[in-house]
Amino acid sequence: MAATTELNFFQVKKGLFSWIFSVDHKRVGLLYLYSIMAFFLVGVILGVLMRLELLNPGKDLMEAKTYNQVFTMHGVIMIFLFIIPSIPAVFGNFFLPIMLGTDDVAFPKLNLLSWWIYVVGALMALSTLLFGDGPADTGWTFYAPYSVRTGTNVTMSVLAAFVLGFANILTGLNFIVTIHRLRTPGMTFFKMPLFAWALYATSWIQLLATPIIGITLLMIVAERVLGVGLFDPSIGGDPILYQHLFWIYSHPAVYIMALPAFGIISELLPTFTHRTIFGYKAIAFSSLAIAFVGYFVWGHHMFTTGMSGAARIVFSIMTFLVAIPTAIKVFNWVATLYKGSIDVQPPLLYALGFIFQFMIGGLSGLVLGALASDVHLHDTYFVVGHFHYVMFGGTGFAFFGALHYWYPKIWGRMYNKTIANIAFVIFFIGFNTLYFPMLISGLMGMPRRYYDYLPEFHLPNMISTYGSWILATGLVLMLGNLIAGFFGPKPEIGRNYWGGITLEWQTLSPPPLQNFDKMPEIPKGGPYDFENNY
Amino acid sequence: MEHHSGLVLPNSGHNRDAEASKLGMWLFLFTEFLLFGGLFIVYMVYRMLNPEAFLTASYQLNVTLGAMNTVVLLVSSMTIAMSITAIQQGNSKRSIQLLVFTVAASLVFLVIKYFEWSAKIHHGLFPGMDVFNRLPHGEGLFFYLYFFMTGLHALHIIIGAIFIVVVIFRTKNGLLNADNYSHTENAGLYWHLVDMIWIYLFPLFYLIH
């Protein structure tokens, strides 16, 4: 029988070139995984260095300018190289076609091209460390007029972000066409897994928002090169215009980072509660609603930079509207846990960690979305804390949850679950020790983006820095455990390690090149109908 | 791609799918519109802030040359649409002729653009040149945006022309024919986009008085 002799996609071809020129979506997904993880670790090291500098007031480790460059590099790497591509480019690439019951994305060559563009963009971003006048010191937002005037190598960083945008657009375009054209017969839109829905909404944002930042960044470059005042007021430009253009993209981009994570959580919960997801359609539509409303809230980044009162009130109200579809998701996830037969495994722990931390992140977001309180909290550590709770505590945890969830499927191996649980606990404690004090020091009034602070902020900063060490320990343990799983005798994984119901669990682990060794069967009664299928 | 077991999934990513390829092109066109959309916003903001300066500066542009280019692009859009009809009817030769005409039109457009640009540069109106630096800020912005937007548009003309040349060779080699012409259609879609953006650029820079 074919199934027993089937080669998996690792075995079909060997050698470096068979990877870096592969059009197989699974290999492209793994290429993304390895490169993204490498850049993530660079970003983590920069983050730990920043915390080290902030351990005590005054200068500990680096000059003010170096610190500015470090936080800019940390932001650029974490946002453009890690979190924006993370879940779609890795798990979307690998699992979207399998979950839809097809053998590849709609445009496999464009998919490979997107990885190459990503690598070129990443090398451009990192090249500022070695060449030119040093990496940018503007913050990842490249705010004009400083980004126009600073002597550091802003041009290259900005061009890198421009190039990276193309990689995102190609991934998004590929997913939309894949979802429209390649669903297996019988898989209607409302029989798709929720991860596919989340990627669908994400892809539309990638497609419709990314070009705006592309052209804005080109304008920054042109202004630096040609010296015409578009954004720099000293030569007649308007810096507020830059902020508008920047946030028209960068606010929706926050949902590019968050929506795929919502999709992951919607996959993890049914599998580990062995019951159907509560409110399938509500979750599916709320992704689209977030994507839509998310376009009209960019002004909440600019409450203190000189907009009319009416505009600020409108943006504030719109911001509160985003909370509705987001809360719909959270309520549905919690309701899914109710009366489920809960199986506590490492991926579920990450999902629960996500819900807990994302709640803190989301609610602190409402504090910032409210006009009156934002005036006080703007540009304080409260913003830093909020953002890391949403992005790292949210998307980052979902990413690692997904990694633990699909690990047996991707590699056909298994990590040590006890160590994975311990690593999660350390990671979770470290995360909250690191970021919760930031919310407090922000409320006390500590401004962000300085290498120094007043003595009264010493205690929360000290706790934060200790937290960064705990977090790093947890991270090393978690990754070490995952890597250790690659070695040693190969355990019997079978097709369906966790008892999941989506289509990827019907094929071999690892999957064969064409994804399925027999026709996938669509679950009767909906994508998460455990009752009729087990 | 090698397939090792006999199983071929019904909706494979390796099937030829004209609908998918057209859908992909449409999505890509959305991104192009938004790319220029950002520039249109900037144009609108600065036109509203400096209405008089923009008006004065716009008199410097040569409406005749701009109008000629508009006609050239509209005709080329027509010929590429005709070439798609030709290949649908199985007339590859006629399709190639019409595509060659389209490429020729794109060259005419670029030549006219070249003369327009060099006249401006000759007068020192390119950003950074003497005359440009002495202009009032609003007029400077006008010329800056003029060069930025028409330059980006010309870049799209060049890319579109290369795309069409590729389609010509593929049609010649018989890779594109009455059963498989989605590349021709995509080249047409892209060319219409280039045309359409010019339809907005022309009045914004040359005509509004």
Side-chain angles (χ1 to χ4, degrees):
Chain A
M1 175 158 165
T4 48
T5 56
E6 190 94 53
L7 293 173
N8 67 47
F9 76 99
F10 287 103
Q11 295 163 331
V12 173
K13 274 185 188 169
K14 301 262 179 189
L16 180 66
F17 287 156
S18 77
W19 279 86
I20 62 175
F21 295 118
S22 172
V23 291
D24 179 12
H25 67 102
K26 299 182 285 302
R27 288 193 176 202
V28 175
L30 289 182
L31 286 175
Y32 261 118
L33 174 67
Y34 301 137
S35 28
I36 281 172
M37 284 313 290
F39 296 125
F40 173 69
L41 291 177
V42 177
V44 168
I45 291 169
L46 292 174
V48 170
L49 285 176
M50 281 156 67
R51 278 320 319 168
L52 216 51
E53 167 59 39
L54 293 171
L55 179 58
N56 295 307
K59 184 195 152 197
D60 294 329
L61 195 68
M62 50 183 109
E63 297 294 334
K65 189 184 174 196
T66 319
Y67 181 81
N68 294 348
Q69 291 174 317
V70 169
F71 78 63
T72 303
M73 206 67 190
H74 172 80
V76 169
I77 289 178
M78 286 305 202
I79 289 190
F80 293 110
L81 298 183
F82 172 63
I83 211 145
I84 288 183
S86 63
I87 292 174
V90 177
F91 300 113
N93 256 332
F94 199 108
F95 286 107
L96 177 68
I98 306 184
M99 284 175 147
L100 299 179
T102 181
D103 62 355
D104 212 324
V105 288
F107 306 115
K109 285 178 197 156
L110 282 188
N111 201 21
L112 175 66
L113 179 67
S114 98
W115 179 73
W116 274 100
I117 294 175
Y118 171 83
V119 170
V120 170
L123 291 179
M124 284 168 69
L126 293 181
S127 75
T128 59
L129 288 169
L130 303 173
F131 308 106
D133 307 310
D137 59 349
T138 56
W140 75 276
T141 48
F142 302 117
Y143 262 21
Y146 186 63
S147 59
V148 177
R149 294 185 201 161
T150 173
T152 51
N153 202 347
V154 170
T155 307
M156 188 48 112
S157 309
V158 159
L159 283 175
F162 176 74
V163 169
L164 288 166
F166 276 104
N168 296 328
I169 288 177
L170 289 182
T171 306
L173 189 154
N174 229 333
F175 286 175
I176 293 178
V177 179
T178 305
I179 289 171
H180 274 285
R181 298 295 302 171
L182 297 182
R183 283 168 288 121
T184 195
M187 179 166 293
T188 57
F189 259 77
F190 289 107
K191 287 190 174 170
M192 288 199 306
L194 285 166
F195 184 49
W197 270 101
L199 287 175
Y200 187 68
T202 310
S203 302
W204 274 109
I205 312 179
Q206 286 185 315
L207 213 62
L208 297 182
T210 315
I212 303 284
I213 189 91
I215 198 70
T216 309
L217 295 175
L218 281 189
M219 284 188 248
I220 287 270
V221 173
E223 183 157 349
R224 281 178 71 88
V225 175
L226 299 172
V228 182
L230 277 186
F231 302 133
D232 184 347
S234 71
I235 39 178
D238 183 356
I240 307 286
L241 180 62
Y242 173 80
Q243 294 188 16
H244 276 292
L245 289 169
F246 180 82
W247 288 114
I248 285 176
Y249 161 74
S250 296
H251 194 78
V254 171
Y255 302 111
I256 296 179
M257 309 176 209
L259 281 176
F262 298 163
I264 297 283
I265 304 306
S266 307
E267 294 302 321
L268 297 183
L269 288 176
T271 300
F272 294 100
T273 54
H274 299 106
R275 56 153 293 181
T276 183
I277 189 117
F278 191 89
Y280 171 88
K281 281 197 178 173
I283 293 182
F285 283 125
S286 62
S287 289
L288 296 180
I290 291 173
F292 180 74
V293 182
Y295 269 100
F296 305 105
V297 302
W298 77 84
H300 67 215
H301 295 268
M302 303 164 56
F303 284 158
T304 61
T305 50
M307 269 191 304
S308 73
R312 289 193 290 176
I313 290 170
V314 171
F315 278 124
S316 184
I317 292 170
M318 295 299 282
T319 306
F320 273 81
L321 287 184
V322 182
I324 296 172
T326 315
I328 287 176
K329 281 184 191 290
V330 175
F331 286 134
N332 280 311
W333 290 328
V334 175
T336 303
L337 290 165
Y338 181 66
K339 286 193 176 171
S341 118
I342 295 175
D343 181 13
V344 182
Q345 297 284 359
L348 181 73
L349 289 178
Y350 281 94
L352 298 178
F354 170 97
I355 294 177
F356 175 75
Q357 282 154 185
F358 191 80
M359 291 268 287
I360 297 179
L363 293 174
S364 61
L366 290 181
V367 176
L368 292 168
L371 262 179
S373 47
D374 182 73
V375 172
H376 294 280
L377 294 170
H378 187 86
D379 261 347
T380 65
Y381 261 81
F382 194 83
V383 178
V384 182
H386 156 71
F387 193 64
H388 284 85
Y389 260 99
V390 178
M391 287 302 134
F392 190 12
T395 308
F397 270 62
F399 179 83
F400 291 118
L403 197 56
H404 283 83
Y405 178 53
W406 279 313
Y407 187 100
K409 178 53 69 184
I410 296 176
W411 288 286
R413 286 180 164 275
M414 199 51 203
Y415 48 86
N416 182 325
K417 282 196 236 173
T418 317
I419 298 180
N421 288 337
I422 296 170
F424 169 79
V425 172
I426 300 175
F427 198 55
F428 181 80
I429 292 173
F431 176 88
N432 286 289
T433 320
L434 169 53
Y435 294 111
F436 201 80
M438 289 187 182
L439 295 175
I440 294 167
S441 58
L443 283 171
M444 290 161 70
M446 179 175 164
R448 64 174 180 161
R449 292 185 165 174
Y450 289 96
Y451 81 125
D452 190 9
Y453 51 85
L454 296 172
E456 65 204 76
F457 302 125
H458 194 190
L459 181 67
N461 274 286
M462 226 165 50
I463 299 174
S464 242
T465 303
Y466 296 151
S468 74
W469 301 338
I470 305 174
L471 181 77
T473 314
L475 185 67
V476 169
L477 187 61
M478 178 231 288
L479 293 179
N481 182 40
L482 291 176
I483 292 169
F486 294 152
F487 303 101
K490 201 168 184 175
E492 191 51 52
I493 292 299
R495 287 169 190 260
N496 194 349
Y497 189 82
W498 303 112
I501 196 169
T502 38
L503 299 191
E504 77 270 27
W505 302 110
Q506 293 182 15
T507 187
L508 303 165
S509 316
L513 180 65
Q514 68 279 20
N515 288 351
F516 292 96
D517 56 333
K518 53 180 195 200
M519 267 305 285
E521 281 173 44
I522 299 171
K524 295 177 282 294
Y528 301 103
D529 188 13
F530 282 85
E531 277 173 30
N532 290 323
N533 289 281
Y534 280 96
Chain B
M1 291 299 293
E2 304 170 55
H3 281 279
H4 284 261
S5 72
L7 182 75
V8 178
L9 294 160
N11 289 346
S12 162
H14 305 286
N15 289 345
R16 200 174 75 206
D17 184 350
E19 278 301 309
S21 116
K22 230 192 308 181
L23 179 57
M25 185 44 104
W26 272 107
L27 295 173
F28 179 68
L29 295 189
F30 289 171
T31 71
E32 291 278 16
F33 270 121
L34 284 154
L35 190 79
F36 278 93
L39 283 168
F40 283 129
I41 289 176
V42 172
Y43 175 92
M44 185 187 77
V45 167
Y46 283 119
R47 175 131 207 159
M48 279 166 74
L49 291 176
N50 314 286
E52 262 101 59
F54 268 52
L55 186 62
T56 318
S58 72
Y59 286 127
Q60 303 274 332
L61 297 187
N62 189 329
V63 181
T64 318
L65 289 182
M68 276 166 68
N69 259 348
T70 310
V71 173
V72 168
L73 274 192
L74 283 176
V75 171
S76 73
S77 241
M78 182 184 73
T79 52
I80 199 163
M82 285 160 73
S83 90
I84 295 167
T85 313
I87 201 164
Q88 280 170 336
Q89 293 166 347
N91 194 342
S92 294
K93 206 174 148 197
R94 174 60 44 82
S95 176
I96 290 175
Q97 286 166 350
L98 287 160
L99 289 172
V100 170
F101 187 90
T102 311
V103 174
S106 77
L107 294 177
V108 172
F109 179 93
L110 289 173
V111 169
I112 294 179
K113 198 87 243 166
Y114 169 79
F115 282 115
E116 259 194 283
W117 270 44
S118 19
K120 299 284 166 304
I121 293 171
H122 186 70
H123 291 129
L125 287 171
F126 194 77
M129 294 176 116
D130 290 344
V131 182
F132 180 87
N133 287 340
R134 274 181 270 126
L135 284 177
H137 180 66
E139 292 183 34
L141 277 176
F142 179 88
F143 283 109
Y144 173 73
L145 287 171
Y146 165 78
F147 281 113
F148 198 141
M149 293 171 83
T150 57
L152 193 63
H153 178 258
L155 188 68
H156 280 78
I157 293 266
I158 294 169
I159 294 169
I162 294 171
F163 190 2
I164 297 172
V165 169
V166 172
V167 169
I168 290 174
F169 279 104
R170 289 176 68 93
T171 316
K172 216 169 203 167
N173 296 337
L175 294 168
L176 300 177
N177 49 47
D179 299 323
N180 175 20
Y181 52 85
S182 57
H183 276 111
T184 323
E185 272 192 308
N186 280 346
L189 282 173
Y190 190 82
W191 197 251
H192 294 323
L193 166 98
V194 171
D195 186 13
M196 193 154 159
I197 287 172
W198 180 255
I199 295 295
Y200 284 95
L201 289 180
F202 177 56
L204 283 181
F205 283 106
Y206 296 78
L207 294 187
I208 303 180
H209 286 323

